[in-house]
Amino acid sequence: MRLCAALAALAFLAAPARASDFTSAAIGTTGSQFLTSGIGARGIAMGGAYSATVNDATALYWNPAGLVRVPRFSASMMYTDYVANINYQTAQIADRINDTSVLAGGLRYQNIGSIPQTDMAGNSEGTFNPRDYVLDFGWAQTIDDMSTSNMDMAMGVAGHWIHSDYASSSANGFGGDIGILSHFYNGPFPYDFSFDAQNMGSGQKFDQIRNTLPFVAKFGADAYPFQNLILAMEADLPSGNVPYGALGVEYSIPITDSMKAALRGGFNSQDFTSLGLASCLTAGVGLTIGDFSFDYAFAPQGVLGEVHNVSLSYNLPAFASQRYEER
């Protein structure tokens, strides 16, 4: 637990330090908001309460420490149909390099669509297509000195190169995440605790002022009270808004030895004040056949419309590692 406190203190020291941070007065003061868009339909369907549960290549976004749960190799792709013809596409891979370490890389791309362009006098100059790109890389390591027969401890880091093209302007930025994950075997059922500090670093500069990255500190937990059931919760502290919470649930339904389905639901209070209760609810389904998984998530956005997320992932199991099979 001392490691958790030390990393949390380090993250907040590296975060912005304005008096208005972490309050409603900070809304609109951070840039690069596309960095906060979730990756992978499974985590989105669970309301974003996923930093303690993630176990595939999408951990590169949710919590880099979760990469240690990749048994051998993991690849994931997602397509998101946002409101106003905005689409968001992602791809991640993760590969285990030895019994304790995993490397990962990924790409995120957001296309905002065609927007009318005018000059200072209001005269039409055609259209432009704003686009955002994020190149991700990460590493996770099991901390053997802190792991025991009752607990596994892992740490991960991720880096991001950020690039945006808006009309005739472009900007670059650099960010980083640091996360920890503890898995406990003792007690009546297994459970996890996690901490993740996202988007620390140098924001994008389009003109004279460099934007602040949307830093957020995440504290997560989950539990496996019954076979095939996961209950998850998370508290998020964003520098550009008030704190909010999330809850998630997943129930898996075995069909055959190589096939299973999953039902998922979630609640995330982030947009409750601005978009109402309906925007807080998420739902989704999943189907796993062999090493392939198909996942879908539905996330309503109140008066703005609906968001649909579709993911396809490929996960190779470990050769013969009982340790990772148990996870």
Side-chain angles (χ1 to χ4, degrees):
M1 291 301 117
R2 278 181 281 182
L3 176 62
C4 298
L7 289 178
L10 176 64
F12 279 99
L13 287 174
R18 296 184 300 267
S20 62
D21 283 346
F22 309 102
T23 69
S24 59
I27 296 175
T29 61
T30 59
S32 308
Q33 286 297 312
F34 52 87
L35 292 174
T36 65
S37 298
I39 290 179
R42 183 188 181 202
I44 295 171
M46 294 177 68
Y50 198 50
S51 62
T53 306
V54 62
N55 60 357
D56 59 12
T58 63
L60 194 57
Y61 167 81
W62 297 103
N63 181 356
L67 291 169
V68 299
R69 290 173 166 167
V70 172
R72 185 174 162 195
F73 177 83
S74 175
S76 178
M77 297 179 293
M78 183 189 77
Y79 178 84
T80 297
D81 182 20
Y82 274 120
V83 297
N85 296 320
I86 299 172
N87 65 76
Y88 184 50
Q89 303 165 52
T90 69
Q92 298 79 38
I93 60 170
D95 189 37
R96 177 165 294 279
I97 57 175
N98 56 45
D99 194 48
T100 60
S101 303
V102 176
L103 289 176
L107 178 66
R108 293 180 258 174
Y109 168 69
Q110 178 174 263
N111 184 352
I112 299 179
S114 180
I115 297 177
Q117 183 174 355
T118 59
D119 60 19
M120 296 296 292
N123 300 313
S124 175
E125 294 187 345
T127 61
F128 69 103
N129 295 84
R131 296 177 181 179
D132 303 299
Y133 306 83
V134 184
L135 182 63
D136 302 305
F137 54 91
W139 165 81
Q141 175 79 36
T142 300
I143 307 176
D144 288 331
D145 291 344
M146 299 187 69
S147 298
T148 67
S149 60
N150 294 323
M151 179 189 72
D152 282 344
M153 177 74 74
M155 177 179 176
V157 294
H160 319 291
W161 174 73
I162 309 156
H163 177 80
S164 296
D165 290 318
Y166 295 166
S168 59
S169 300
S170 63
N172 297 315
F174 301 90
D177 306 346
I178 184 168
I180 60 171
L181 181 64
S182 301
H183 180 73
F184 295 87
Y185 300 95
N186 60 336
F189 45 77
Y191 56 95
D192 302 293
F193 288 110
S194 68
F195 169 77
D196 183 31
Q198 291 185 335
N199 304 323
M200 301 176 289
S202 178
Q204 296 174 290
K205 182 179 179 181
F206 285 95
D207 189 11
Q208 300 298 319
I209 299 176
R210 187 170 296 278
N211 293 330
T212 302
L213 291 181
F215 170 82
V216 58
K218 298 186 174 188
F219 300 86
D222 67 10
Y224 304 77
F226 305 105
Q227 187 176 11
N228 302 321
L229 178 65
I230 302 175
L231 303 177
M233 62 186 300
E234 185 167 298
D236 290 9
L237 284 72
S239 62
N241 208 331
V242 296
Y244 60 91
L247 301 172
V249 59
E250 176 185 81
Y251 181 70
S252 298
I253 306 169
I255 300 174
T256 68
D257 290 342
S258 60
M259 182 186 302
K260 67 177 180 179
L263 302 176
R264 305 180 181 112
F267 177 89
N268 188 309
S269 67
Q270 182 177 17
D271 297 323
F272 174 74
T273 302
S274 57
L275 296 178
L277 179 62
S279 69
C280 302
L281 304 175
T282 57
V285 295
L287 179 65
T288 298
I289 302 175
D291 298 329
F292 290 90
S293 295
F294 170 83
D295 298 292
Y296 167 78
F298 172 74
Q301 297 295 298
V303 296
L304 298 180
E306 301 170 348
V307 176
H308 302 273
N309 308 268
V310 179
S311 292
L312 177 65
S313 59
Y314 175 67
N315 299 284
L316 282 177
F319 285 111
S321 174
Q322 182 64 28
R323 178 178 184 178
Y324 295 105
E325 287 177 0
E326 290 176 351
R327 298 180 182 211

